[in-house]
Amino acid sequence: MIRLEDVDKVVVEPNGLRRDLFRSLNFSLSPAHSSVAILGRSGSGKSTLLKILAGLDTRYQGKYFFEGEPLLKNGATMARYRRENIGIVTQSYHLLSDRNVVQNVLLGFSGKKSIARAKECLALVQLEKFEKKSITQLSGGEAQRVAIARALVKNPRVILADEPTGALDEETENHILSVFSRLESEGHTLIVTTHNERVAGWCQSRLMLSDKKLVPQE
Ligand SMILES: Nc1ncnc2c1ncn2[C@@H]1O[C@H](COP(=O)(O)OP(=O)(O)OP(=O)(O)O)[C@@H](O)[C@H]1O
């Protein structure tokens, strides 16, 4: 479904030195894979890879294919691709504190249909009673689930989640994993970066960012 071919990515360090982050990196996700974990030490490039997969970072060499078709790496093409196919849960959630829960999930959309869909997504993450709640009153786990609901509102094929259980306790982590299981059973594909062994173990397959490439893990 998604394929990256021969990706080279260079980053510029704060001291001005250029560093190869990825060299001839390949990634391939077939429709049969419903969840994959991307592992790697801090700074190995997990978040950067997720941004590339989301079409948010196009400053790399290499090719991006979706369903066998190459994607042009320009802003307009990638924005359309993202809009139609990708939901993103970022590490810091990026929720707007001056809007309530359902307004955050709506992403600026309005109208009865969109509101019904936003409520459906909140129900999926078991936050149906939280619609009107202020973002500032949420726990870390609840905020994480609002971010997941927001990623789902467009019903994307692929959901990218950056450290989805980063700061959560075990019970909340279990809750997030049960939400992920539901998403899988509804036909969504999950690509998750994580340091967490339980989350990695839950995923159908695991890839390790090592020596500037992705290496399949047991
Ligand atoms: N826009 C950028 N400009 C310069 N350097 C960058 C940029 N984005 C990322 N980097 C560098 O690239 C490296 C990889 O960063 P990235 O956030 O992708 O790593 P990570 O594996 O997600 O790390 P962590 O597990 O700590 O979140 C880091 O050394 C980072 O400083």
Side-chain angles (χ1 to χ4, degrees), residues 32-44:
H33 279 106
S34 52
S35 55
V36 56
I38 296 175
L39 308 159
R41 61 170 177 73
S42 181
S44 57

Side-chain angles (χ1 to χ4, degrees), residues 9 11-14 19 21-22 40-49 51 59 91 162-163 195 209:
K9 167 83 183 168
V11 289
V12 181
E13 303 280 1
R19 175 164 75 93
L21 189 60
F22 305 141
R41 61 170 177 73
S42 181
S44 57
K46 300 180 293 299
S47 299
T48 306
L49 179 60
K51 282 185 201 140
R59 288 160 301 162
Q91 240 181 67
D162 203 358
E163 287 284 353
H195 283 112
L209 262 174

